[in-house]
């Protein structure tokens, strides 16, 4: 059995939905579990609905209507028969969202999951019916019957043991010669009380990896709008190159430092069962793409660049000029942990501790305020963080030419540099 994952960009319009069916046709009779994200930017659009609703704005209905009309247009083009069952199904989902919006808002994270999750329920429903129409036999699975999480809304933690039981009880029985394909949602799960949860933004890759791990799949393929894993984001770097292959370890490192191609949680469940991960272009499905697996030397051996903008560098020193020692560090770390702020880079010296974080309109001021209670705090915003894996000294020189470096750190394999915003990234 193979696991396929199609993200929002691969199901963004009529053409791309048709393209998904064309890709599936390349694997006739092959047992496939197909994990699909919400269409195009639906998750962002539903996020806006939630924000409006929770802040008491009356815009939520209008914002939801935008999501509705996007899907309505798509439905009309994919299903000329206006009486087709899929219309009722999709409409019912929107009615369910409206029910939520009619009630008094509850806690934001909870509401978020109850509403945003419909993006995936709707996309998979549309795709499943569309494939039916083409005679591609498939079964639609509500992944919330399979994946149990705790009730950390927006970042549900998977209960692996119980999820494994459920997945094994449900999915393999649906797959047979006449019906080789299961279509299901990425990104979502459910609590033991049957409330919907989400696994964190871009979490559909992770869903694919969880299912692959539990079902001991032969491989996972993530179908993307790029030819594979590139050594740099083509949005920011000219001459980005495709990596033929990567070790699990390198893939985890790249994802951890912020390469957006794979969700960071995806690799570990695959590595533990030695399941290869293919990243391939949905525009050129026959092309080789990138393979990530065990004992694969990353090839070609070129530096990989990860670029993050909107960084803040914070310097923290004790008010009594004492050294930054273990007790201070532990209290500093709790401030970050309590607010859920991820440290992108840290460095310690005798009297100060420096940290680079993503600027967040809500969390950054809170963090600084909290730290200021016990420390002297200085900070610098509007910075860029470059992480370079397999760097050469010359790579760093070229990158930082004529620019102010605020912090630099090098290990044998990885260099990280915090710099002032340039006119345009290298
Ligand atoms: N639709 C979700 C998101 O946009 C999950 C995913 O695409 O992986 O974050
Ligand atoms: Mg996505």
């Amino acid at each position: 059995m193979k696991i396929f994952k199609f993200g929002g960009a691969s199901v963004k319009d009529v053409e791309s939905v048709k393209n998904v069916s064309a890709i599936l046709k390349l694997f006739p009779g092959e047992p496939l579990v197909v994990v699909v994200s919400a269409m195009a930017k639906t998750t962002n659009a539903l996020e806006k609905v939630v924000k409006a609703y929770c802040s008491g704005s009356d815009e939520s209905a209008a914002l939801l209507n935008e999501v509705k009309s996007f899907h309505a247009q798509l439905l009309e083009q994919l299903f000329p028969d206006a009486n087709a069952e899929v219309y009722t199904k999709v409409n019912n989902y929107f009615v369910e969202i409206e029910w939520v919006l009619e009630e008094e808002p509850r806690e934001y994270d909870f509401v978020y999951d109850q509403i945003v999750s419909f993006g995936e329920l709707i996309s998979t429903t549309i795709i499943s019916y569309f494939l039916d129409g083409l005679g591609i036999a498939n079964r639609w699975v509500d992944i919330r019957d399979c994946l149990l999480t705790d009730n950390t809304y927006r970042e549900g933690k998977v209960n692996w043991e119980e999820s494994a039981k459920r997945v094994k009880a449900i999915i393999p029985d649906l797959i047979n010669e006449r019906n080789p394909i299961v279509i299901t949602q990425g990104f979502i799960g459910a609590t033991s009380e049957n409330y919907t949860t989400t696994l964190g933004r871009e979490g559909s890759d992770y869903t694919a990896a969880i299912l692959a791990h539990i079902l001991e799949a032969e491989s996972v393929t993530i179908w993307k709008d790029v030819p594979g894993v590139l050594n740099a984001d083509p949005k920011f770097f000219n001459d980005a190159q495709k990596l033929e292959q990567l070790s699990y370890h390198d893939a985890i490192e790249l994802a951890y430092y912020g390469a957006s191609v794979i969700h960071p949680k995806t690799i570990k469940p695959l590595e533990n069962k030695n399941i290869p991960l293919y990243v391939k272009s949905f525009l050129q499905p026959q092309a080789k793409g990138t393979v990530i697996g065990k004992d694969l030397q990353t090839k070609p051996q070129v530096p990989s660049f990860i670029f993050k903008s909107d960084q803040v560098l914070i310097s923290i020193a004790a008010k009594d000029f004492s050294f930054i020692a273990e007790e201070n560090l532990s209290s500093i770390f709790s401030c970050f942990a309590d607010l859920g702020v991820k440290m992108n880079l840290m460095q310690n010296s005798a009297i100060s501790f420096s940290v680079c974080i993503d600027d967040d309109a809500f969390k950054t001021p809170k963090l600084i305020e909290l730290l200021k209670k016990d420390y002297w705090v200085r900070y610098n915003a509007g910075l860029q963080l470059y992480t370079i894996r397999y760097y050469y000294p010359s790579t760093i020189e070229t990158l930082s030419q004529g620019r102010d470096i605020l912090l630099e750190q090098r290990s044998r394999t990885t260099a990280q540099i915090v710099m002032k915003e340039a006119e345009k990234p290298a």
Side-chain angles (χ1 to χ4, degrees):
M1 173 195 300
K2 293 189 168 90
I3 314 284
F4 283 180
K5 182 258 171 171
F6 289 96
S10 63
V11 288
K12 70 176 195 303
D13 52 22
V14 172
E15 287 320 307
S16 43
V17 171
K18 289 184 178 162
N19 185 51
V20 167
S21 67
I23 291 179
L24 296 181
K25 279 190 186 154
L26 298 173
F27 300 84
E30 180 117 32
L32 297 175
V33 175
V34 180
V35 174
V36 186
S37 302
M39 294 172 144
K41 301 276 179 221
T42 300
T43 305
N44 292 352
L46 288 171
E47 238 174 56
K48 284 191 191 151
V49 173
V50 177
K51 280 200 180 121
Y53 164 65
C54 285
S55 65
S57 141
D58 50 15
E59 270 176 52
S60 57
L63 289 165
L64 182 62
N65 276 335
E66 286 177 26
V67 183
K68 267 194 204 171
S69 57
F70 167 79
H71 287 91
Q73 272 181 20
L74 203 90
L75 282 167
E76 270 171 39
Q77 295 176 65
L78 290 172
F79 305 93
D81 173 8
N83 293 318
E85 202 177 58
V86 64
Y87 284 94
T88 319
K89 285 271 163 80
V90 171
N91 186 54
N92 286 347
Y93 285 133
F94 281 111
V95 171
E96 281 189 62
I97 301 179
E98 280 158 0
W99 283 342
V100 179
L101 297 181
E102 273 164 23
E103 283 171 28
E104 275 302 302
R106 294 174 55 177
E107 189 233 340
Y108 180 79
D109 290 353
F110 172 80
V111 175
Y112 180 102
D113 285 3
Q114 308 321 304
I115 293 182
V116 167
S117 49
F118 280 101
E120 271 69 12
L121 292 165
I122 293 169
S123 69
T124 49
T125 301
I126 294 176
I127 290 180
S128 172
Y129 275 96
F130 183 69
L131 295 174
D132 281 346
L134 296 177
I136 303 178
N138 72 92
R139 299 290 295 272
W140 183 91
V141 168
D142 187 333
I143 201 68
R144 296 173 300 177
D145 297 333
C146 296
L147 293 190
L148 179 74
T149 71
D150 69 358
N151 57 3
T152 318
Y153 294 101
R154 294 184 65 196
E155 198 68 56
K157 305 276 169 301
V158 173
N159 176 331
W160 280 88
E161 206 176 317
E162 186 54 34
S163 299
K165 273 190 210 150
R166 296 181 185 188
V167 167
K168 285 181 189 158
I170 294 174
I171 294 184
D173 281 352
L174 297 175
I175 295 181
N176 54 50
E177 262 167 44
R178 270 189 300 124
N179 189 92
I181 300 179
V182 159
I183 305 283
T184 196
Q185 308 78 39
F187 179 54
I188 71 176
T191 66
S192 52
E193 287 136 348
N194 275 327
Y195 284 115
T196 306
T197 50
T198 64
L199 308 178
R201 283 306 305 263
E202 305 302 330
S204 295
D205 293 354
Y206 183 41
T207 305
I210 297 167
L211 294 177
H213 179 102
I214 293 173
L215 295 166
E216 309 206 336
E218 172 191 330
S219 64
V220 173
T221 304
I222 300 183
W223 298 94
K224 307 237 6 150
D225 53 1
V226 285
V229 177
L230 306 178
N231 76 327
D233 185 335
K235 270 190 282 187
F236 303 116
F237 293 85
N238 305 324
D239 319 320
Q241 280 185 57
K242 193 196 80 178
L243 303 172
E244 308 284 324
Q245 55 178 53
L246 275 160
S247 62
Y248 289 122
H249 183 77
D250 278 343
I252 289 180
E253 294 282 337
L254 291 181
Y256 171 80
Y257 288 121
S260 58
V261 66
I262 312 161
H263 187 281
K265 286 185 183 165
T266 310
I267 307 293
K268 206 69 195 134
L270 301 179
E271 183 181 15
N272 287 0
K273 291 260 172 97
N274 202 3
I275 299 167
L277 170 63
Y278 296 92
V279 178
K280 288 167 73 115
S281 159
F282 58 72
L283 299 167
Q284 285 177 296
Q286 311 278 19
K288 257 183 86 197
T290 299
V291 54
I292 298 162
K294 197 182 160 205
D295 300 332
L296 293 178
Q297 272 267 359
T298 295
K299 226 172 61 181
Q301 280 274 355
V302 290
S304 283
F305 296 87
I306 298 142
F307 166 70
K308 277 174 168 262
S309 58
D310 274 331
Q311 299 293 297
V312 190
L313 184 64
I314 308 179
S315 267
I316 304 157
K319 282 188 172 162
D320 58 4
F321 301 108
S322 62
F323 292 136
I324 290 284
E326 291 69 19
E327 315 83 69
N328 300 331
L329 286 175
S330 130
S331 95
I332 292 170
F333 278 120
S334 344
C335 294
F336 282 77
D338 290 349
L339 290 169
V341 177
K342 181 175 177 271
M343 300 177 170
N344 294 333
L345 171 63
M346 57 188 136
Q347 190 156 292
N348 198 24
S349 75
I351 52 160
S352 84
F353 179 71
S354 303
V355 185
C356 186
I357 59 168
D358 294 344
D359 203 354
D360 179 302
F362 175 73
K363 286 182 183 173
T364 309
K366 274 201 155 170
L367 175 72
I368 288 171
E369 194 186 317
L370 191 61
L371 288 166
K372 273 188 173 165
K373 283 192 188 145
D374 295 317
Y375 300 93
W376 293 118
V377 180
R378 281 182 306 136
Y379 61 95
N380 224 318
L383 305 177
Q384 299 177 330
L385 170 65
Y386 286 84
T387 303
I388 311 149
R389 218 162 139 73
Y390 301 124
Y391 65 92
Y392 311 117
S394 61
T395 339
I396 299 177
E397 266 165 46
T398 321
L399 199 65
S400 59
Q401 226 159 40
R403 303 184 49 191
D404 256 355
I405 297 186
L406 281 86
L407 190 78
E408 186 179 334
Q409 210 171 70
R410 297 185 195 197
S411 74
R412 219 154 28 88
T413 49
T414 308
Q416 292 195 287
I417 321 172
V418 182
M419 289 191 280
K420 285 244 169 71
E421 202 89 44
E423 296 292 293
K424 193 173 164 280

